[in-house]
């Protein structure tokens, strides 16, 4: 029996001889054409075809030690994938990128990263696997439907030795620079449908910027940068879930923290999250910002919703602006079950676009604990329902540019005073209904407000305030109603008539109406000068009793 090794099949040559045939090791060292059937499957595939399912950066020359420059290798791996897309695996490598790379459409780069806070006494961010180290000025550019997943993206050279004190921690913060991830560009739509999932982004001026792109998804991402996420100019839904902007690089350093430690290294001078220029129908859910001058910003947007988002700051809160801010021409902004703690203001509303109903900021079930006003309305208006105010100078402050607002069913517990208004106009256009007050100085009575009237219960009076334009013969009215056998009917009305609005010569008369035969009938007018005018007196004395008045022609009689 003869065995012939021809080597033509690659690493496993085709072997024949007598009644024996099979695949055995050949001579040329290339086994790419060897076929194999995966466990549980039915079709054999060549190793070359099988390995091509996932591209590995090391197949294109990446060293992956965090020192050698792997820029050319990772870009070559990206460029090897066609328009139909594919996946690039970096495994446990540390890929150093010295200049910007572009992740083309439909390509996913992923690793094994699964980590969070590093305890510097035993760990070092630069020792973690599945990381991309970006040189100063290097950026990862994501194009349409591309994705980064389970990666640590960190700026190279933030520190050479593990920080051991507040000064060294502050030096790390001072060295933040560049943009880590850029989604899209000046060409609209080039970055649409891109995503960043389960990544950690550390040490940049900007962690993630999305420009001129729709349907961006950012999910389960940890960030420590001067600014966290910025989405600018988008016309379709964006979704940001469970993103945590927090001082990961400094919080575990000895001597850093709230008083009596040094809180400064845990502060970031920028924002955690910012959506601007439309960003229609975007939603942020379960996101958190700690130590950022402003936690969340919605600027000239439409239909942006914040759900269970939280903003916290250091103690003391030096450098804080606010937990949340909505500004510009923003319309239909809403906050549901959100929390702002320790900021100067919990929420700043400064909206100037759209009609009042469009620009109203909806606040539902939120909690605010601030050092100044919990809610500051500079321009625009709010509808605040079932929210809690725990500390601050005022629960809400309405400045001269504010519009008709409402505060309903809220709890004020621990704030110094309830509400402040810059003038009577914005004061009497704000409805304050069914709130609970505990250890609060109450300066503003509860009130119902509609287009024309304000009804409020002060400490000593039940007040009806007429907000209509000054018009002769017009004034506030009080109407009483009750049940009759025929059903509910008006029973009486008191109506004020403006006689003169001239300063120093103001005059008002008061009309009295009562129900007669299911209609209100005017019976008397008390004039501004003290005279009394009787109307619709009976013309017969029949049935009258002592003291009643009746009219006989032009003569008014009284029953003795």
């Amino acid at each position: 029996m003869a065995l012939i090794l021809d080597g033509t099949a690659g690493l496993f040559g085709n072997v024949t001889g007598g009644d024996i045939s099979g695949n055995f090791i050949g001579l040329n060292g290339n086994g790419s054409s060897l076929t194999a059937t995966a466990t549980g499957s039915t079709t054999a595939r060549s190793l070359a075809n099988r390995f091509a399912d996932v591209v590995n950066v090391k197949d294109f020359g990446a060293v992956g030690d965090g020192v050698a420059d792997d820029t050319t290798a990772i870009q070559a791996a990206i460029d090897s994938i066609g328009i139909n897309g594919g996946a690039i695996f970096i495994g446990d490598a540390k890929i150093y990128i010295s200049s910007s790379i572009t992740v083309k459409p439909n390509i996913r780069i992923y690793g094994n990263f699964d980590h969070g806070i590093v305890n510097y006494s035993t760990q070092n961010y630069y020792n973690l696997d599945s990381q991309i180290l970006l040189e100063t000025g290097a950026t990862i550019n994501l194009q349409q439907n591309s994705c980064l997943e389970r990666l640590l993206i960190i700026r190279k050279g933030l520190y050479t030795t593990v920080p051991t004190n507040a000064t060294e921690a502050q030096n790390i913060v001072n060295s933040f620079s560049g943009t880590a991830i850029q989604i899209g560009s000046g060409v609209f739509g080039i970055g649409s449908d891109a995503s960043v999932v389960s990544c950690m982004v550390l040490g940049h001026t900007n962690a993630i910027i999305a420009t001129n792109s729709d349907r961006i998804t950012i999910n389960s991402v940890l960030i420590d940068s001067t600014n966290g996420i910025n989405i600018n100019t988008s016309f379709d839904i964006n979704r940001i879930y469970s993103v945590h902007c927090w001082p990961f690089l400094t919080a575990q350093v000895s001597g850093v923290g709230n008083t009596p430690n040094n809180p400064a290294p845990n502060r970031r001078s920028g924002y955690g999250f910012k959506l601007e220029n439309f960003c229609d129908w975007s939603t942020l859910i379960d996101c958190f910002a700690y130590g950022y001058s402003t936690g969340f910003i919605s600027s000239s947007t439409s239909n942006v919703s914040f759900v269970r988002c939280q903003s916290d700051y250091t103690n003391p809160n030096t450098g804080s602006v606010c937990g949340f801010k909505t500004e510009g021409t923003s319309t239909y902004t809403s906050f549901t079950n959100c929390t702002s703690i320790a900021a100067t203001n919990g929420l700043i509303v400064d909206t100037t676009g759209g009609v009042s109903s469009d620009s109203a900021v909806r606040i539902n079930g939120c909690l605010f604990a601030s050092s100044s006003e919990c809610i500051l309305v500079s321009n625009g208006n709010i509808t605040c329902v079932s929210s809690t105010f725990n500390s601050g100078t005022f629960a809400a402050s309405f400045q001269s540019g504010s519009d008709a607002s409402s505060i309903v069913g809220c709890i004020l517990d621990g704030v110094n005073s309830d509400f402040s208004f810059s003038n009577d106009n914005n004061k009497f256009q704000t409805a304050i209904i069914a709130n609970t007050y505990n250890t609060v100085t109450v300066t503003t009575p509860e009130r119902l407000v509609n287009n024309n009237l304000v009804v409020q219960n002060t400490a000593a009076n039940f007040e009806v305030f007429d907000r209509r334009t000054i018009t002769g013969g017009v004034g506030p009215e009080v109407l009483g109603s009750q049940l009759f056998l025929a059903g509910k009917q008006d029973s009486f009305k008191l109506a004020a008539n403006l006689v003169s609005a001239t300063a120093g010569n103001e005059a008002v008369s008061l009309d009295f109406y009562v129900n007669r035969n299911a209609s209100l009938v005017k019976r008397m007018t008390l004039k501004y000068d003290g005279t009394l005018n009787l109307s619709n007196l009976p013309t017969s004395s029949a049935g009258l009793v002592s003291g009643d008045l009746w009219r006989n022609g032009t003569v008014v009689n009284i029953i003795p």
Side-chain angles (χ1 to χ4, degrees), residues 86-158:
I88 298 174
F89 182 55
I90 74 167
D92 295 334
K94 301 175 181 65
I95 303 298
Y96 167 48
I97 297 177
S98 62
S99 58
S100 298
I101 63 170
T102 297
V103 183
K104 295 181 178 180
N106 306 314
I107 293 177
R108 167 175 165 252
I109 300 178
Y110 72 103
N112 294 322
F113 181 77
D114 186 14
H115 209 80
I117 302 171
V118 159
N119 184 336
Y120 282 119
S121 64
T122 58
Q123 296 171 309
N124 183 336
Y125 282 110
Y126 288 118
N127 291 338
L128 301 180
D129 295 330
S130 291
Q131 68 176 260
I132 296 178
L133 295 91
L134 295 177
E135 186 58 76
T136 302
T139 298
I140 302 173
N141 296 289
L142 297 186
Q143 293 189 345
Q144 190 173 20
N145 200 40
S146 59
C147 174
L148 301 176
E149 184 174 354
R150 295 188 66 187
L151 301 170
L152 168 60
I153 301 168
I154 184 170
R155 197 179 74 76
K156 187 176 177 65
L158 291 171

Side-chain angles (χ1 to χ4, degrees), residues 345 347-351 356 359-363 368 372-385 389 393-408 410 412 417-433 435 437 443-445 447 449:
N345 299 115
L347 168 64
I348 293 178
V349 177
D350 190 10
T351 55
S356 176
S359 60
V361 177
R362 293 160 290 167
I363 306 161
F368 302 98
S372 188
E373 301 96 334
C374 289
I375 299 177
L376 176 62
V377 185
S378 299
N379 290 285
N381 61 324
I382 65 171
T383 298
C384 183
V385 179
F389 304 91
T393 55
F394 292 96
S397 178
F398 298 86
Q399 305 302 302
S400 59
S402 64
D403 204 349
S405 298
S406 60
I407 301 174
V408 181
C410 294
L412 285 68
S417 297
D418 53 355
F419 311 105
S420 70
F421 300 89
S422 63
N423 55 58
D424 283 346
N425 184 52
N426 57 38
K427 178 178 182 179
F428 288 108
Q429 65 185 357
T430 298
I432 302 173
I433 306 170
N435 298 297
Y437 305 86
T443 61
T444 306
R447 60 166 67 99
V449 178

Side-chain angles (χ1 to χ4, degrees), residues 151-175:
L151 301 170
L152 168 60
I153 301 168
I154 184 170
R155 197 179 74 76
K156 187 176 177 65
L158 291 171
Y159 55 85
T160 55
T161 60
V162 171
T164 59
N165 55 59
T167 299
E168 294 175 355
Q170 187 63 54
N171 289 337
I172 293 175
V173 178
N174 295 342
S175 68

Side-chain angles (χ1 to χ4, degrees), residues 241-428:
Y241 306 102
S242 191
V243 175
H244 197 162
C245 293
W246 198 81
F248 292 97
L249 286 163
T250 57
Q252 298 300 308
V253 177
S254 177
V256 175
N258 288 337
T259 304
N261 291 315
N262 186 348
N266 283 342
R267 296 175 183 143
R268 304 294 178 260
S269 60
Y271 53 80
F273 304 82
K274 184 176 184 180
L275 280 71
E276 57 184 324
N277 297 329
F278 211 60
C279 292
D280 196 25
W281 298 106
S282 296
T283 303
L284 290 81
I285 301 176
D286 293 329
C287 294
F288 183 76
Y290 178 85
Y292 285 81
S293 179
T294 301
F296 298 78
I297 302 174
S298 176
S299 181
S300 297
T301 59
S302 177
N303 292 292
V304 170
S305 299
F306 299 87
V307 181
R308 296 191 304 272
C309 292
Q310 298 125 3
S311 179
D312 195 3
Y313 202 73
T314 64
N315 180 24
N317 67 353
T318 304
S320 162
V321 175
C322 59
F324 298 88
K325 185 175 185 180
T326 179
E327 62 184 8
T329 58
S330 293
T331 55
Y332 304 110
T333 307
S334 68
F335 299 89
T336 303
N337 295 335
C338 293
T339 301
S340 175
I341 303 293
T344 300
N345 299 115
L347 168 64
I348 293 178
V349 177
D350 190 10
T351 55
T352 57
V355 299
S356 176
S357 59
D358 294 339
S359 60
V361 177
R362 293 160 290 167
I363 306 161
N364 188 5
C366 296
L367 186 150
F368 302 98
S370 306
S371 61
S372 188
E373 301 96 334
C374 289
I375 299 177
L376 176 62
V377 185
S378 299
N379 290 285
N381 61 324
I382 65 171
T383 298
C384 183
V385 179
S386 302
S387 295
T388 300
F389 304 91
N390 280 149
S391 67
T393 55
F394 292 96
S397 178
F398 298 86
Q399 305 302 302
S400 59
S402 64
D403 204 349
S405 298
S406 60
I407 301 174
V408 181
C410 294
I411 298 174
L412 285 68
D413 185 1
V415 291
N416 295 342
S417 297
D418 53 355
F419 311 105
S420 70
F421 300 89
S422 63
N423 55 58
D424 283 346
N425 184 52
N426 57 38
K427 178 178 182 179
F428 288 108

Side-chain angles (χ1 to χ4, degrees), residues 442-455:
V442 179
T443 61
T444 306
E446 298 264 302
R447 60 166 67 99
L448 298 171
V449 178
N450 65 17
N451 290 334
N452 297 323
L453 296 176
V454 176
V455 180

